[in-house]
């Protein structure tokens, strides 16, 4: 059986070591527990162990699991870490506190439009722009060369505050160059948060400036393959 509480403790310990080794404070990076494919009872076990921030990659799945979990556990925060279709913008804004995957003008405009409708009871979602650091055709994220224009549209034309950047390096590739590129882009644009690092490389990400690491497998165990 997976000991979710012990695993969370282990990940936090490794994060603290990596942060300390890089001369950063232990609270400079937060742990986003990635709960995609996990049951409500597994998620509740993580909450009972003190975990407060979770990530899901699909709006539909989050809509099935999270309204009840959130009602039962005030203060828990949910991040969208998977691609968002424009037609699910309203639902995503209702469910998620943070959207990490803003990656195109059309989606930015759809978010602005929903906020203007007053859909989300006063609270504005926190937004990250996903950058496709590997420039992979099949992957979400804005190309590094198009980031400046997207940021300008969000900030100047739409009045959307962008907190940080997120990346998902190509599978099998060395992560460090991607983390370095994301950190450089965030410095250049004056952004404060960096979402990078997963089970295989969250410690490296902490050493390279991550403020949000997204960890699933190291907390909940190996996922069943998607059907
Ligand atoms: C699944 C997922 C993760 C977590 O991956 P693990 O290897 O299980 O830690 C992180 N980020 C995104 C965007 C994901 O889809």
């Amino acid at each position: 059986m997976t000991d979710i509480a012990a695993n969370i403790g282990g990940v936090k310990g490794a994060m603290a070591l990596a942060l300390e080794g890089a001369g950063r404070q232990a609270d400079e990076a937060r742990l986003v527990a990635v709960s995609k494919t996990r049951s409500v009872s597994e998620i509740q076990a993580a909450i009972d162990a003190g975990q407060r921030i979770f990530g899901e990659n699909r709006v539909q799945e989050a809509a099935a699991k999270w309204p009840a979990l959130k009602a039962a556990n005030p203060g828990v925060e949910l991040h969208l870490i998977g691609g968002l279709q424009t037609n699910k913008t309203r639902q995503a804004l209702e469910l998620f506190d943070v959207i990490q995957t803003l990656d195109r003008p059309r989606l930015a405009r759809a978010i602005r439009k929903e906020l203007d409708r007053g859909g989300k009871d006063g609270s504005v979602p926190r937004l990250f722009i996903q950058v496709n650091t590997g420039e992979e055709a099949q992957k979400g994220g804005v190309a590094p060369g198009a980031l400046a224009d997207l940021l300008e549209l969000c900030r100047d034309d739409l009045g959307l505050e962008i907190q940080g950047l997120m990346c998902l390096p190509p599978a099998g590739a060395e992560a460090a160059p991607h983390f370095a590129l994301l950190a450089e882009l965030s410095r250049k644009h004056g952004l404060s948060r960096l979402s990078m690092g997963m089970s295989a490389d969250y410690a490296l990400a902490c050493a390279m400036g991550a403020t949000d690491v997204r960890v699933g497998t190291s907390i909940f165990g190996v996922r069943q393959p998607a059907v």
Side-chain angles (χ1 to χ4, degrees):
M1 213 197 82
T2 310
D3 188 340
I4 291 171
N7 289 346
I8 290 171
V11 170
K12 290 203 155 160
M15 286 173 67
L17 267 180
L19 288 163
E20 191 189 340
R24 305 179 67 204
Q25 301 294 320
D27 61 359
E28 278 185 59
R30 51 188 192 183
L31 174 59
V32 179
V34 176
S35 53
K36 64 189 186 197
T37 80
R38 307 300 174 174
S39 68
V40 164
S41 62
E42 288 171 292
I43 296 169
Q44 188 62 55
I47 296 172
D48 293 343
Q51 180 62 29
R52 284 293 171 273
I53 310 175
F54 291 84
E56 291 277 350
N57 68 335
R58 300 178 64 166
V59 174
Q60 237 35 61
E61 183 184 341
K65 297 190 301 196
W66 279 93
L69 277 164
K70 279 198 153 186
N73 302 281
V76 165
E77 179 177 302
L78 191 60
H79 293 215
L80 178 63
I81 60 168
L84 177 55
Q85 290 170 257
T86 309
N87 64 6
K88 296 212 173 97
T89 304
R90 180 175 307 177
Q91 203 182 5
L93 290 178
E94 280 162 6
L95 281 165
F96 293 95
D97 304 288
V98 179
I99 292 177
Q100 293 202 5
T101 50
L102 173 53
D103 64 353
R104 56 196 192 279
R106 205 165 111 81
L107 182 55
R109 289 197 179 91
I111 291 172
R112 179 71 263 167
K113 199 168 148 200
E114 280 307 319
L115 294 176
D116 289 344
R117 258 187 76 248
K120 184 152 169 131
D121 50 16
S123 64
V124 175
R126 283 166 279 155
L127 302 171
F128 287 59
I129 289 182
Q130 181 179 356
V131 183
N132 188 352
T133 54
E135 309 215 33
E136 296 172 277
Q138 82 288 3
K139 194 168 275 179
V142 64
L147 173 63
D149 282 351
L150 182 56
L151 266 170
E152 189 182 304
L153 171 75
C154 290
R155 288 166 159 172
D156 301 346
D157 299 349
L158 301 176
L160 294 174
E161 188 197 336
I162 304 297
Q163 288 209 324
L165 302 177
M166 178 270 217
C167 79
L168 189 61
E174 207 195 319
H178 298 273
F179 294 167
L181 173 59
L182 202 69
E184 183 196 318
L185 290 169
S186 92
R187 264 195 308 276
K188 182 172 156 192
H189 293 291
L191 298 166
S192 59
R193 305 206 71 91
L194 270 184
S195 173
M196 57 191 198
M198 314 196 291
S199 289
D201 48 30
Y202 66 85
L204 174 68
C206 284
M208 296 185 68
T211 62
D212 297 76
V213 298
R214 311 177 309 266
V215 178
T217 307
S218 292
I219 292 173
F220 295 105
V222 176
R223 276 183 297 279
Q224 300 301 311
V227 283

